[in-house]
Each structure stands twice: as structure tokens, then as C-alpha cells.
Amino acid sequence: MADGTRGTVQETLVMARYGELFLKSEPVKRHFIGMLLRNIRKALGASGLECRYETPRGRILIYGSEPELVAVIVSRIFGIIDVSICHRTSTDLADLSAIALSLAVPRLHAGMSFAVRAKRQYKTGLNSQELGMEIGSHIYDNIPGLKVDLDTPDFEVFIEVRDFGGLVYERRIPGPGGLPWGTQGRVLVLLSAGIDSPVASWLVMKRGCEITHLYLDAGRWAGADVTAAAIDNHRKLSLWCAGNPVSLVVANSEPLFDRMSEQKVQPRYRCVICKRFMLNVASRMMAHEGALAVVTGENLGQVASQTLANLGVVADSATAPILRPLITYDKEDTITIARRIGTFDATPGDLACRAVPKMPATAAVLEEIHELEQQMAIDELAAGACTTLRFVTALDGRITEDHSDHQP
Ligand code: ATP
Ligand code: MG
């Protein structure tokens, strides 16, 4: 059996495939692939990996040491659909068959099923199907008792024959898809300690946005673990743009809750006023942060402040466009993404807001809210919240800087 596995592997490399960029015009595609390569380089550089790159049509080939680690890092880069560790060889059938067999031998034994997925780029010689059948026969003849199953095989081996040579691989590690980070401009994400807003942040990153996070710290009105949990969400999200530092701006919203309490604002209006305040503060920071939109994890009907009527009242306080990536998601769908991206925390601690009333208003009346806010001098409070800020920088899953009392 060993004889049939002796093919010439020239090199082991990591192949990344990108998706939607194909839909773009040539100059835009070139720009986006440039950004994708820049992001890959930065992410690998952040882990101390030096690599060499080639970009044949539709693929990025990455040569360097530690292909397993390279594959894991690149599978977290936005724009990438999947990643494979490939053995590069000649386009000769003998070499391709031998390497395919060498991958199959440790994985397959009698009674198991397999499939060969072959793709050829050019038009001479065997076509893709014939190539697959030839290589399949080689595996079949050398490992006794196998079955071919093209639908749900126990083992798959992939062959690509391209103008530069042959690639053989057995695994496709899924990437996040989307567009390269940095191709769509910057957004300011209202990031909380909860489950939704980290997912919203990840989804806009996935569509190519650079992010700045904004967290409003309600001080003694917030649960004991809220600030630490929000900072941890920020830290975890930085793993998705490795090599690029991400800022979290922390603003103090405790005076807002104190003012609502002093002025005996009906508790049922607190949630709507709180959410309006966040958008008010965010809108004031947009220009300074270079952001083009504000992002929230709001979701239709999830809580009382997110009825359709209240979402309108809340939006009225923003001067910036609002993006709500989760507006139609079921909570289960959001949780599934949160688990996959690593932001879900099963034991989040004390995150309870002390200001939430038993019966929040589900249909606040804008005129009434405006009047209450005027009595509270809300714009003065919002301007005040923007004057003393704390900045927390996260890079590659680590908090790197945390400096207080910075004036914007
Ligand atoms: P999440 O919605 O992220 O799970 P949550 O349930 O605590 O957090 P909601 O009351 O649903 O928050 O608030 C809706 C949105 O308002 C959040 O998704 C987030 O974008 C924003 N938000 C809530 N609390 C804060 C905060 N303390 N700082 C910044 N943004 C916040
Ligand atoms: Mg929520």
C-alpha cells in the first residue's frame, strides 16, 4: 500500500477562499483583495508569523511555517469563506493520486465511505469528473473494503488542478464570510454587558466596518459586574480584527439616573429616556470618532423599550443614522452567533439594572418625553457625559491601555 502514497509534495501551504468580492467590478475587487491581504498580514504578524503570499484567481495562498496556526488565524478574517491546509504538488495524475491516498490512509479503513472532489482550471487532459474517478480508483484499489459515497462520505479529499500546479487537501475550515474589515468606514457601536450588542458589533465588522465601542457606565445604578462584562465583550471582539487596536469609550451616565430620581420622573419612562440619552451621547461623539453611523443591539419587541412605538421615540434623539443589525432576530439566533464568536457568557454575574421599573412604558409619547427631558436639562447632562471619558484599548484579545479622564 505504501508505494501508492509516494507523491512529490513540493510545499504545504494554506489556501484561503473569498466570496462576495467576486461580485465587484475589477478596480473595487483589487482594492478589496488588497485590504483582505493587509488584514491577513496584520493578523499573522500579530502572532509573530512571517509568510509569503500569492493571489491566483479567487484564492489567497499563504506559505510559511506553522500552517495549522495560520489556518486558524485566517479562518477568523472577514471576507474569507473557508481555509484549507493544502499539499502543493505537480499537476501529474500520479502525484495527485499518491498524495490523496496518503491523506486517506490514516483516515479510512474497511467499511468506510469516501468521495474525491476534483476541480480543474484548464481544458486539456482529463476533465474534473474523470480526474476525480481516476484518483478515487487509486484510493479504492489501495485500501480494501471501501465504499464510494458522494453525498455523505466519511472522508472527502479535494483536488484542485490550476495553472500553477496541483493542490490536495482534506479539510475546509469555515471562515466568517462578509467583507474585509475596513472597507466600509467606521461605526460607533453602543456596546453593553449583554448578549445582543456584541453580536451586533460583530455583524457590522463582518460587513466591513471598523468599530469604536461606546459604553455608558451607570455607576451605582448598574449591577456590580456590568462594567467588567462590557469591557470583556470589547476584549473578545478585538480577536476578530487581530492586529488592529479597538477603542472602547466609557462615558458616565450615573448623573442621568440621579437626575431622573431627584426630579421624580415616572419610573415607567426611565428605559426610553435612558436609551435616548445613549443615542444623544453617541451622536455628539460621531465626528470626533470619525464614525458614519451608530449601531445598537436593539431588537423588535425584545423588551419594553423596543416596541415599534418606542424605537421611534428613541431614534428621535439621534442625529446620526442608526444601524440595528439584530432588529428581526429571534433571541435564540442571536445566542447561537454569540456562542460561535465567543462572546456568550453562561455565568455573567450581576448585570441587573437598578433603574428598570416593574412596568416600563411600551408606547411613550414623544411630546411628553421632550418635556420631561427639558425639565431635566438633558442636553447639559449629555454634554457633561462627553467631557470626562475613559478610554480602554483592546488588541488581539488583550486590554492594552486603560487611561482615565481623557478630554475628547
Ligand atoms: P444587549 O441588548 O446587548 O443584550 P442589554 O439587554 O443590556 O444588552 P438592552 O436594554 O437590550 O440592553 O439595550 C438595547 C441596546 O442599547 C443594546 O443592545 C446596546 O446597543 C445599547 N446599550 C444598552 N446598555 C448599554 C450601555 N450601558 N452602554 C452602551 N450601550 C448600551
Ligand atoms: Mg437586549
Side-chain angles (χ1 to χ4, degrees), residues 192 194-197 297-299 302-303 306 331:
S192 75
I195 297 166
D196 300 326
S197 52
E298 286 166 316
N299 171 273
Q302 187 186 82
V303 290
Q306 295 171 18
K331 191 77 184 187

Side-chain angles (χ1 to χ4, degrees), residues 57-76:
R57 202 177 129 76
R59 305 280 188 273
I60 296 174
L61 307 183
I62 307 162
Y63 300 85
S65 56
E66 302 193 61
E68 290 284 346
L69 181 58
V70 169
V72 169
I73 293 170
V74 176
S75 72
R76 297 174 76 102

Side-chain angles (χ1 to χ4, degrees), residues 20-341:
E20 211 178 304
L21 304 193
F22 266 126
L23 301 173
K24 307 283 178 201
S25 65
E26 275 309 318
V28 175
K29 201 191 306 180
R30 258 199 309 279
H31 170 63
F32 277 33
I33 292 170
M35 294 292 273
L36 193 54
L37 266 176
R38 185 202 68 167
N39 294 343
I40 292 174
R41 273 206 180 92
K42 271 192 169 181
L44 294 175
S47 293
L49 294 163
E50 270 186 36
C51 298
R52 188 165 58 78
Y53 303 87
E54 284 172 12
T55 53
R57 202 177 129 76
R59 305 280 188 273
I60 296 174
L61 307 183
I62 307 162
Y63 300 85
S65 56
E66 302 193 61
E68 290 284 346
L69 181 58
V70 169
V72 169
I73 293 170
V74 176
S75 72
R76 297 174 76 102
I77 303 265
F78 294 115
I80 297 297
I81 298 182
D82 63 35
V83 174
S84 298
I85 298 171
C86 302
H87 303 282
R88 180 168 172 171
T89 182
S90 73
T91 57
D92 288 351
L93 181 60
D95 276 338
L96 295 167
S97 302
I99 293 168
L101 178 61
S102 72
L103 295 181
V105 164
R107 303 258 187 244
L108 286 173
H109 53 77
M112 290 176 79
S113 61
F114 77 104
V116 177
R117 317 278 188 209
K119 232 193 247 161
R120 265 201 19 190
Q121 195 182 26
Y122 47 81
K123 297 263 177 276
T124 55
L126 300 176
N127 66 29
S128 297
Q129 206 189 351
E130 290 162 346
L131 188 64
M133 280 167 60
E134 288 289 337
I135 295 171
S137 299
H138 186 68
I139 294 175
Y140 189 82
D141 292 344
N142 280 277
I143 306 177
L146 294 184
K147 290 175 287 189
V148 173
D149 179 350
L150 297 183
D151 297 324
T152 52
D154 296 319
F155 173 79
E156 282 175 299
V157 61
F158 300 86
I159 315 287
E160 290 197 19
V161 176
R162 321 257 312 185
D163 46 11
F164 59 81
L167 299 174
V168 185
Y169 56 96
E170 59 175 304
R171 224 163 26 115
R172 288 183 160 182
I173 305 164
L179 297 174
W181 196 80
T183 54
Q184 300 300 314
R186 183 170 292 277
V187 291
L188 186 59
V189 181
L190 279 168
L191 184 73
S192 75
I195 297 166
D196 300 326
S197 52
V199 173
S201 182
W202 186 84
L203 286 170
V204 289
M205 285 167 94
K206 178 174 179 242
R207 291 308 298 172
C209 294
E210 294 186 54
I211 50 165
T212 300
H213 287 139
L214 170 62
Y215 163 66
L216 283 103
D217 182 352
R220 65 194 168 80
W221 294 90
D225 301 311
V226 169
T227 298
I231 291 175
D232 206 42
N233 282 335
H234 169 61
R235 183 188 68 72
K236 288 168 177 166
L237 285 161
S238 73
L239 282 166
W240 287 96
C241 53
N244 295 289
V246 185
S247 294
L248 168 73
V249 184
V250 181
N252 179 11
S253 61
E254 194 173 37
L256 168 77
F257 295 96
D258 291 343
R259 182 82 49 99
M260 285 197 278
S261 168
E262 284 154 24
Q263 301 210 347
K264 301 198 167 40
V265 169
Q266 287 186 51
R268 63 198 213 93
Y269 287 139
R270 280 184 195 155
C271 293
V272 163
I273 292 174
C274 163
K275 292 298 179 305
R276 282 175 54 87
F277 186 76
M278 290 181 188
L279 287 175
N280 186 339
V281 171
S283 297
R284 289 164 191 268
M285 287 182 183
M286 302 290 287
H288 183 263
E289 296 302 325
L292 302 173
V294 54
V295 177
T296 77
E298 286 166 316
N299 171 273
L300 188 54
Q302 187 186 82
V303 290
S305 63
Q306 295 171 18
T307 60
L308 200 49
N310 279 352
L311 285 171
V313 172
V314 168
D316 162 82
S317 71
T319 54
I322 306 172
L323 305 182
R324 298 178 170 112
L326 303 182
I327 194 71
T328 61
Y329 280 37
D330 287 353
K331 191 77 184 187
E332 269 315 305
D333 299 335
T334 303
I335 290 174
T336 301
I337 300 177
R339 285 188 200 279
R340 188 156 66 79
I341 67 175

